[in-house]
Amino acid sequence: MGRLIPAGGSVTLTCSVDGSTGWKFDWFRNGQQYPADGSSGNTEPDGTIRVSEGGEYSCRGGRGGPVYYSETSNKVTIWRTVSRKPSLILEPNWSQIYRGEKVTLTCEMQDDGGTQWTYEWRTTNGKTITSSEHKTITATEFDSGEYSCRGFRDYKLTEWSDSVRLTVKHYKPTATLRAMETVIPAGGSVTLTCHVDGSTGWKFDWFRNGQQYPADGSSRNTEPDGTIRVSEGGKYSCRGGRGGRGGPVYYSETSNKVTIWRTVSNKPGLILEPNWSQIYRGEKVTLRCEIQGGTQWTYEWRTTNRNSPSSSEYRINSATDADSGEYSCRGIGDYDQTEWSDSVRLTVKHYKPTATLRAMETVIPAGGSVTLTCSVDGSTGWEFDWFRNGQQYPADGSSRNTEPDGTIRVSVGGEYSCRGGRGGRGDPVSESGTSYKVTIQITDPNKPSLVLQPNWSQIYRGEKVTLRCEIQGGTQWTYEWRPTNRNSPSSSEYRINSATESLSGEYSCRGKREGFSWTPWSNVVNIAVSPKPQPVLSVSPSWLNPGASVTLSCEGLEHQPAGWRFFWYKAVPGPSSSSYTSELLPGSTNGSEQNSFIINGPTLTAGFVCRAGRGEPEFYTYYSEPKFIWSADPRPAASLSVNPDRVQHFYYDPLSLSCEGNSTEWRVKRFTERGYLSYCSIWGTMTGSTCTIKSHWFDSGVYWCESGSGEFSNAVNITAQNDYYDMIILLSPVHPVTEGDPVTLRCRNKDQLLSNVFFYHNDKLPHNDSREELNISAVSKSDEGFYKCQHSGKDSPRSWMSVRVAITSPVSSSFPVMFIIGPVVGILLIILLLLLWRCNQSKGLCCIRSKGSEVRGQSSTTNQPEGHEYRSLSHGQSLIHVFLLTTIDEHNQFLSVLALTCF
């Protein structure tokens, strides 16, 4: 192209004659001297000029005089760049085109109407120069690349235009048809979209079932929309076309076909025949799809089976587990389709069903009937056959009936069963398994009477009772018992030889005879079996005054009286340190009906036990726990001494108890205030006949001795006191004191005896002053009672001081007694003779009771055993009983009572 002068610039031209010097140069532009006045000539070595105009430049050298000229130089074309930049326009404006398509590139110069430009084109295939501003391309794959252009004239040259990239695909494009929905709802339409991927400028032709749609071509439309809405079913396709403007239209390949279905308003009805939603393996059912209207439909089924038919019936000839599921259908015709029918769920069970027989009542009332109901759970459509005692009932089969009733009424007893069957109508019948048997009984009017012998509703483990079922009438009965036991008898007697708790319950019975005839159930007898009881023995009083009677009560047995007899025993210490043997008390060999027993005049500490027995053979309760009565009076045979000899002790003071008597094997025992019975071996150390209490095991309670030979000592009451916080105790005798003896009471704390002490008797001050000790020179019965001491505002525990009556020598007392008895007896005999005469005269009934007066005017304060003298005299028809009763009270005073009874 030559040299370029940038816009507004210049270039330097240099002229030289090789190998020589001294030359001056002439310059020529376009064949004319340049400049015209020749002012550009110059000399070596410079030989240059700067030019700012385009043109064809040459030079010539000259030297000497006359001037010697060289040959004119070669021509150099200089182009001056102007500031104009052409615009490159692609028509059509498709950056991507396909082989065979035609496009035109136009290089546009904004000009004022001057000289026409010549155009130069730059492509990836090399530069081309053309005098035309248009470049038309019929595309091949070699035409892909970037294009630009510029213009030139009069040695002037424009800048290059912006480039345009052209991509030529070597294949013919294919249109793509898409449908968001392929089913047209009833009365609606769907949208179809056509496009050619990667290119623009297309218009589209539409086809339905291979024909232009619409037939007049009115649906052709332009990108970017490329959509139509259709309301008819069919197979749709499309094709793109672009180009034109007098030239041929370039068409894409036709698109894929899309099937559009139009939904019609006819909704099929799906009918199951027989109408059994639950069927069993091997059964036969038919699903029928019914569509209103005369159109010829092809049917589509939605199931779990890939081999669904195209007809209106779906037949299952032999059901399997695979046929379970939901079924629905629809009709298809000429690109129209119905909605799906409502679904029908079919459940196929892999097993053969079994009928179930139910009876609301299993006993037919006299002259009545009961209803039997047969069903096959979870399924319908059954007819039922009935059987009685294994034979069809009735024999002619007239009882067969259909669901949902499935019932018959029967008035005859027997074992009933049923079986279901369904199908038929020319098809094989499907039969269920036969039901379990239900026994129906006829009620006999004779109601049994159930009798319990012995009649004890509350019995105990190990006892024996018999239930007897009594039915009036001579018929031979077989008996049924309730509750049912695997070993229940069929006889009229239900024997319980050794009762257990598992036999508790309500019992009743009924009788059975041939022909399933049953009596009603008898009355109910409730038997409650409890563990073998252990009665509780109580004694009253527990502390004895000399000669007092003791009442034993055996309690803790429910529902008394219930045949119990009570047995009474003395608790005899055994050789073991923790056991007793039971020895029947006199008069208790055969027991007593009363649960209490009086022992007259005991004077010693003793233990007692009771138990009860009843029935034949006799059933005995456990023995009660032993209960004790305690006597404070020591006896020569057995006595207990305490060291220190007092009632109250501090917890940690040393304390020992010694047993004295004929035995050499003694043990000390105690009963604490908290109700615990135990031996010295637990809370002390037994050395010989002496028990030393461990300090931290000391407790308040009653203490006594027992021997291995069965002897009891007197008992003592010992109080344990806490020795913290400066507590105090009363020093009082542990044994009863004898009337007339002196007694001294003192008070002390842990460390010493105390002075300035107040002493209380039965919570009253016998003296208003404080003192060191309380002295009683000669105690009397009035001094008996509770004592305590008080020091510096602190009280000791209370202790009982018992006073016993002094025993008088028999020799010294016999004379006064006999002196009094003689006159009294004489007077009584005179009165007796008068009464006999009186009674003989009246031949009636005479009763005289007299009570002798007390010799010294003192009344007895304790119940002593009485001496009894019985005499009787017979006179005619009258019988006079004379009782002379004598007694000695606790003060050694004589009492007498004379009683006469006339008959």
Side-chain angles (χ1 to χ4, degrees):
M1 174 60 74
R3 303 295 187 269
L4 296 177
I5 301 172
S10 61
V11 296
T12 299
L13 302 180
T14 302
C15 191
S16 64
V17 178
D18 291 339
S20 58
T21 60
W23 298 92
K24 292 183 178 180
F25 298 96
D26 293 318
W27 297 89
F28 304 94
R29 174 178 176 271
N30 299 330
Q32 301 296 321
Q33 188 166 353
Y34 178 79
D37 56 5
S39 59
S40 63
N42 50 34
T43 58
E44 192 276 337
D46 191 30
T48 61
I49 62 172
R50 292 192 66 81
V51 297
S52 57
E53 292 180 280
E56 281 187 338
Y57 286 85
S58 60
C59 65
R60 184 180 64 181
R63 65 181 181 180
V67 177
Y68 178 81
Y69 291 99
S70 68
E71 293 290 340
T72 301
S73 71
N74 59 301
K75 294 180 180 180
V76 174
T77 302
I78 301 298
W79 295 92
R80 182 165 65 89
T81 303
V82 296
S83 58
R84 291 181 182 175
K85 183 177 181 179
S87 297
L88 182 56
I89 298 171
L90 176 64
E91 290 182 343
N93 188 19
W94 305 331
S95 59
Q96 179 173 296
I97 60 176
Y98 298 90
R99 186 175 58 188
E101 277 196 299
K102 183 176 182 180
V103 293
T104 299
L105 294 159
T106 300
C107 193
E108 289 187 348
M109 296 288 298
Q110 297 295 328
D111 200 359
D112 53 0
T115 305
Q116 293 296 315
W117 293 88
T118 300
Y119 295 90
E120 182 181 6
W121 295 87
R122 184 169 59 186
T123 71
T124 53
N125 295 327
K127 294 179 184 178
T128 61
I129 299 175
T130 177
S131 60
S132 172
E133 61 180 328
H134 302 294
K135 184 176 180 65
T136 299
I137 299 173
T138 299
T140 67
E141 56 268 34
F142 301 107
D143 292 314
S144 293
E146 289 190 349
Y147 289 78
S148 59
C149 66
R150 64 180 176 182
F152 58 94
R153 68 178 183 187
D154 297 335
Y155 300 101
K156 296 175 182 178
L157 188 66
T158 68
E159 298 177 15
W160 285 103
S161 69
D162 293 331
S163 63
V164 169
R165 171 166 288 281
L166 197 62
T167 301
V168 180
K169 298 293 184 179
H170 66 279
Y171 56 85
K172 190 174 185 179
T174 301
T176 301
L177 178 60
R178 292 186 177 91
M180 294 297 292
E181 300 288 340
T182 59
V183 178
I184 303 171
S189 60
V190 296
T191 298
L192 305 180
T193 302
C194 192
H195 68 93
V196 179
D197 288 341
S199 56
T200 59
W202 300 92
K203 293 182 179 180
F204 299 98
D205 294 316
W206 299 90
F207 304 92
R208 176 178 175 270
N209 299 333
Q211 303 297 319
Q212 187 162 358
Y213 177 81
D216 58 3
S218 59
S219 66
R220 170 169 279 205
N221 51 36
T222 57
E223 195 276 339
D225 191 31
T227 61
I228 60 170
R229 290 193 68 83
V230 297
S231 57
E232 294 178 278
K235 285 188 176 180
Y236 286 84
S237 58
C238 63
R239 182 184 64 186
R242 65 180 182 180
R245 293 186 180 179
V249 174
Y250 182 81
Y251 290 102
S252 72
E253 297 287 350
T254 302
S255 72
N256 56 300
K257 293 179 179 179
V258 173
T259 301
I260 302 297
W261 296 94
R262 180 170 65 95
T263 303
V264 295
S265 58
N266 291 344
K267 183 177 180 179
L270 182 56
I271 298 171
L272 177 63
E273 292 181 348
N275 188 19
W276 307 330
S277 59
Q278 178 171 298
I279 60 175
Y280 298 90
R281 187 169 57 188
E283 284 195 298
K284 177 179 180 179
V285 292
T286 300
L287 294 140
R288 181 172 291 106
C289 192
E290 295 184 350
I291 304 175
Q292 299 297 322
T295 304
Q296 293 298 316
W297 297 99
T298 299
Y299 293 84
E300 181 179 0
W301 294 86
R302 187 158 56 187
T303 71
T304 57
N305 196 321
R306 288 178 294 178
N307 299 318
S308 300
S310 59
S311 64
S312 62
E313 287 189 353
Y314 190 113
R315 296 179 181 272
I316 299 174
N317 293 317
S318 182
T320 65
D321 297 350
D323 292 314
S324 292
E326 289 193 349
Y327 290 75
S328 58
C329 67
R330 65 179 176 182
I332 298 174
D334 295 334
Y335 300 103
D336 288 340
Q337 65 182 25
T338 67
E339 300 177 16
W340 285 103
S341 69
D342 294 331
S343 62
V344 169
R345 171 166 286 279
L346 198 60
T347 302
V348 181
K349 298 292 185 180
H350 65 277
Y351 55 85
K352 183 178 182 179
T354 300
T356 301
L357 178 59
R358 294 181 178 90
M360 295 299 292
E361 299 290 339
T362 59
V363 178
I364 302 172
S369 61
V370 295
T371 299
L372 305 181
T373 301
C374 193
S375 64
V376 179
D377 288 342
S379 56
T380 58
W382 298 92
E383 295 180 352
F384 299 99
D385 294 314
W386 300 89
F387 304 92
R388 176 179 176 270
N389 300 333
Q391 303 298 319
Q392 188 162 358
Y393 177 79
D396 59 2
S398 59
S399 65
R400 169 166 278 206
N401 52 37
T402 57
E403 196 275 340
D405 191 30
T407 61
I408 61 170
R409 291 193 67 84
V410 298
S411 56
V412 181
E415 283 188 334
Y416 286 85
S417 59
C418 65
R419 182 182 64 199
R422 66 180 183 180
R425 297 181 184 177
D427 295 324
V429 173
S430 175
E431 288 188 345
S432 72
T434 303
S435 71
Y436 287 109
K437 295 177 181 179
V438 173
T439 300
I440 302 299
Q441 305 151 10
I442 299 175
T443 302
D444 190 283
N446 292 330
K447 181 176 180 179
S449 176
L450 183 58
V451 179
L452 177 65
Q453 294 178 339
N455 189 19
W456 304 330
S457 59
Q458 175 71 54
I459 62 175
Y460 297 93
R461 185 192 304 155
E463 279 197 293
K464 177 179 179 180
V465 293
T466 299
L467 293 151
R468 181 170 290 109
C469 192
E470 297 179 351
I471 305 175
Q472 299 297 322
T475 304
Q476 294 298 316
W477 297 96
T478 301
Y479 294 84
E480 181 180 355
W481 294 87
R482 190 165 57 186
T484 301
N485 188 305
R486 283 181 294 178
N487 299 319
S488 296
S490 59
S491 64
S492 62
E493 286 190 353
Y494 192 119
R495 297 179 182 272
I496 298 175
N497 293 318
S498 181
T500 62
E501 286 87 338
S502 64
L503 296 176
S504 294
E506 293 184 341
Y507 286 78
S508 58
C509 66
R510 64 178 179 178
K512 175 188 176 183
R513 58 184 176 182
E514 294 181 359
F516 297 93
S517 177
W518 293 86
T519 68
W521 285 101
S522 70
N523 56 298
V524 173
V525 171
N526 189 14
I527 292 181
V529 181
S530 299
K532 187 174 182 178
Q534 182 178 30
V536 176
L537 177 64
S538 63
V539 297
S540 178
S542 57
W543 277 99
L544 293 175
N545 288 320
S549 296
V550 173
T551 299
L552 307 180
S553 296
C554 200
E555 300 167 347
L557 297 178
E558 299 178 1
H559 308 298
Q560 283 185 248
W564 294 107
R565 297 189 66 82
F566 296 88
F567 298 86
W568 311 91
Y569 304 84
K570 183 178 180 179
V572 179
S576 170
S577 63
S578 60
S579 65
Y580 292 90
T581 58
S582 299
E583 183 179 295
L584 269 172
L585 292 174
S588 184
T589 302
N590 296 322
S592 61
E593 293 182 358
Q594 300 299 319
N595 68 333
S596 61
F597 188 81
I598 298 176
I599 303 174
N600 290 313
T603 57
L604 297 175
T605 297
F608 298 96
V609 174
C610 74
R611 71 172 176 172
R614 68 179 182 182
E616 183 65 38
E618 195 153 34
F619 168 81
Y620 291 101
T621 68
Y622 290 114
Y623 289 96
S624 70
E625 294 291 338
K627 289 290 183 178
F628 295 89
I629 58 172
W630 297 293
S631 172
D633 279 350
R635 296 291 179 183
S639 64
L640 171 64
S641 61
V642 180
N643 185 26
D645 186 8
R646 61 175 185 258
V647 175
Q648 298 183 17
H649 303 264
F650 286 110
Y651 270 121
Y652 299 105
D653 282 348
L655 177 62
S656 62
L657 301 98
S658 298
C659 304
E660 299 176 5
N662 296 331
S663 176
T664 58
E665 296 181 3
W666 290 102
R667 52 181 181 260
V668 177
K669 193 169 184 180
R670 78 180 179 193
F671 187 79
T672 66
E673 291 178 346
R674 292 174 290 175
Y676 296 113
L677 185 67
S678 57
Y679 292 88
C680 174
S681 59
I682 296 175
W683 37 266
T685 302
M686 197 77 194
T687 305
S689 61
T690 299
C691 174
T692 302
I693 298 179
K694 301 173 185 177
S695 59
H696 56 287
W697 285 94
F698 187 24
D699 208 347
S700 298
V702 181
Y703 290 75
W704 68 94
C705 298
E706 296 176 359
S707 73
S709 58
E711 295 173 332
F712 286 83
S713 76
N714 60 302
V716 295
N717 205 341
I718 298 178
T719 301
Q721 172 67 305
N722 198 328
D723 55 4
Y724 296 123
Y725 310 113
D726 200 23
M727 303 302 290
I728 62 175
I729 60 173
L730 175 70
L731 306 185
S732 63
V734 69
H735 296 295
V737 295
T738 304
E739 195 173 34
D741 288 349
V743 173
T744 299
L745 304 180
R746 294 182 178 86
C747 195
R748 67 167 297 163
N749 61 17
K750 177 66 176 172
D751 301 316
Q752 61 186 357
L753 293 171
L754 301 174
S755 57
N756 300 324
V757 176
F758 292 96
F759 291 90
Y760 289 84
H761 178 216
N762 293 332
D763 294 326
K764 294 181 180 180
L765 281 169
H767 306 283
N768 292 328
D769 59 339
S770 63
R771 54 187 66 199
E772 185 174 352
E773 56 189 28
L774 177 64
N775 291 308
I776 305 173
S777 58
V779 297
S780 65
K781 200 66 175 176
S782 62
D783 295 316
E784 193 171 61
F786 285 104
Y787 286 85
K788 72 175 182 178
C789 63
Q790 185 183 78
H791 176 75
S792 300
K794 293 184 178 180
D795 291 349
S796 72
R798 296 197 314 166
S799 287
W800 178 268
M801 187 177 74
S802 179
V803 179
R804 64 186 173 198
V805 178
I807 301 175
T808 306
S809 171
V811 176
S812 62
S813 61
S814 61
F815 175 74
V817 171
M818 294 305 296
F819 179 78
I820 296 170
I821 291 175
V824 170
V825 171
I827 295 169
L828 291 174
L829 287 173
I830 294 169
I831 296 171
L832 174 61
L833 293 174
L834 292 173
L835 289 171
L836 288 172
W837 176 82
R838 179 77 176 183
C839 289
N840 186 49
Q841 294 294 321
S842 61
K843 298 187 183 292
L845 175 63
C846 300
C847 296
I848 301 175
R849 299 177 185 271
S850 66
K851 181 176 182 181
S853 61
E854 298 167 358
V855 174
R856 297 174 62 180
Q858 296 179 351
S859 60
S860 174
T861 60
T862 59
N863 296 324
Q864 298 292 340
E866 298 176 333
H868 303 277
E869 181 180 345
Y870 301 95
R871 297 181 182 182
S872 63
L873 300 175
S874 178
H875 185 79
Q877 294 182 347
S878 300
L879 180 64
I880 301 175
H881 290 270
V882 181
F883 299 91
L884 180 61
L885 296 89
T886 62
T887 185
I888 304 296
D889 73 0
E890 62 178 341
H891 300 291
N892 232 17
Q893 305 304 313
F894 168 74
L895 301 175
S896 66
V897 176
L898 177 65
L900 292 86
T901 306
C902 306
F903 301 93

